Amino acid sequence: MPKESFIRNRIKSVGYALKGMFLLLRTESSIKIQAVIAVVVTVFGFYFQISNTEWILQLLAIGLVMGVEGLNTAIEKICDYIQPHMDPKIGIIKDISAGAVMIVSVIASIIGLIIYVPKIF
C-alpha cells in the first residue's frame, strides 16, 4: 500500500480536528456557555474598539479557556471509559482536570475585567 502524501495526511488531520471541535461544541454544555461568552466579549471588543494588544489578550484568554475545557472533557471521557463506576482515584483525576479549567477561567475573567471595566466606567 503506497504511503499517503504529506499534504493529504495534513488535510485528514485538520478534518479530524474540525470533527472533534464540532463534536465538542455540539455535545458539551460547558463549552456552549463558553462559546456564548466568547461571542459576547467579541461583540464588546468591537463596540468598545479595544486595542490590538487587548484583542490579542482577549483571544488568547478565549482560546485557553476553550482549549483547556476540551482537554478536560477528553480526560473525563477517558476516565469514564477506563472506570465506569465510582472510583475515588478517578474522582481526583477529574477534579484536577476541572481545576485546570477553573484556573484559566478565573485568569480569563480577570483579563476581561482589566480590559472592559475602564471602558465601561
Side-chain angles (χ1 to χ4, degrees), residues 26-42:
R26 264 196 339 265
T27 61
E28 297 301 317
S29 59
S30 57
I31 201 86
K32 289 177 186 176
I33 293 166
Q34 292 163 355
V36 168
I37 292 169
V39 169
V40 169
V41 296
T42 299

Side-chain angles (χ1 to χ4, degrees), residues 78-117:
I78 290 169
C79 287
D80 291 343
Y81 180 77
I82 292 171
Q83 178 54 274
H85 305 290
M86 184 65 162
D87 182 323
K89 290 181 181 177
I90 293 292
I92 290 170
I93 294 167
K94 287 180 164 186
D95 290 347
I96 291 169
S97 183
V101 176
M102 178 66 94
I103 290 168
V104 295
S105 296
V106 167
I107 297 302
S109 298
I110 292 169
I111 289 169
L113 292 171
I114 290 169
I115 293 171
Y116 290 108
V117 166

Side-chain angles (χ1 to χ4, degrees), residues 59-78:
L59 291 171
L60 277 171
I62 290 168
L64 277 172
V65 170
M66 294 182 83
V68 172
E69 182 62 51
L71 291 173
N72 175 54
T73 299
I75 289 167
E76 288 182 354
K77 300 277 187 207
I78 290 169

